[in-house]
Amino acid sequence: MTTKKVERRIKIKYRIRKSVFGTAERPRLSVFRSNKQIYAQVINDIEGKTLVAASSAGLEAMPKIQQAEKVGELLAQKAIEAGVKSVVFDRNGYLYHGRVKSLADAARKGGLNF
């Protein structure tokens, strides 16, 4: 059973995904936000493979914004080690503010270009 809020986000998500596509040179950085955690993945859509992933599991002692910043820094570090310097950002239907924005800013600060 889905609510109208979730259905709205899913419609926005599909609208975004029509134009955002990850390649080997420029994979897609996808963000998923739950009430307690935040997850991020760098995905090559051509092969259908996740190259790098990071989550806020284990960081529950911090405020959620700081958790998102840590996840962004960790993801950027892992992506650069894997040879990924440039990504396409997929906010996954969420508004670009709060935790999603802080994750993106921290990933940029960590060295990813998007």
Side-chain angles (χ1 to χ4, degrees), residues 6-20 28 30-32 90-94:
V6 173
E7 289 172 4
R8 179 180 176 275
R9 186 186 72 80
I10 290 171
K11 280 173 68 173
I12 295 169
K13 173 183 174 175
Y14 288 133
R15 194 176 330 134
I16 292 168
R17 289 281 288 131
K18 278 193 273 187
S19 62
V20 174
R28 175 171 56 99
S30 180
V31 175
F32 176 74
D90 176 13
R91 59 188 174 92
N92 217 356
Y94 301 109

Side-chain angles (χ1 to χ4, degrees), residues 75-92:
L75 187 80
Q77 178 185 1
K78 285 182 176 181
I80 289 174
E81 288 173 5
V84 176
K85 300 223 188 306
S86 177
V87 295
V88 179
F89 190 69
D90 176 13
R91 59 188 174 92
N92 217 356

Side-chain angles (χ1 to χ4, degrees), residues 3-67:
T3 63
K4 288 191 181 252
K5 190 174 188 179
V6 173
E7 289 172 4
R8 179 180 176 275
R9 186 186 72 80
I10 290 171
K11 280 173 68 173
I12 295 169
K13 173 183 174 175
Y14 288 133
R15 194 176 330 134
I16 292 168
R17 289 281 288 131
K18 278 193 273 187
S19 62
V20 174
F21 190 78
T23 63
E25 298 82 32
R26 207 158 170 211
R28 175 171 56 99
L29 192 162
S30 180
V31 175
F32 176 74
R33 188 191 75 187
S34 71
N35 286 336
K36 295 188 178 190
Q37 306 289 341
I38 191 160
Y39 307 88
Q41 295 179 321
V42 176
I43 304 165
N44 179 352
D45 287 320
I46 293 173
E47 295 179 11
K49 296 200 178 199
T50 299
L51 306 173
V52 177
S55 74
S56 63
L59 301 174
E60 287 84 9
M62 304 180 189
K64 291 179 186 177
I65 294 283
Q66 289 178 354
Q67 287 179 15

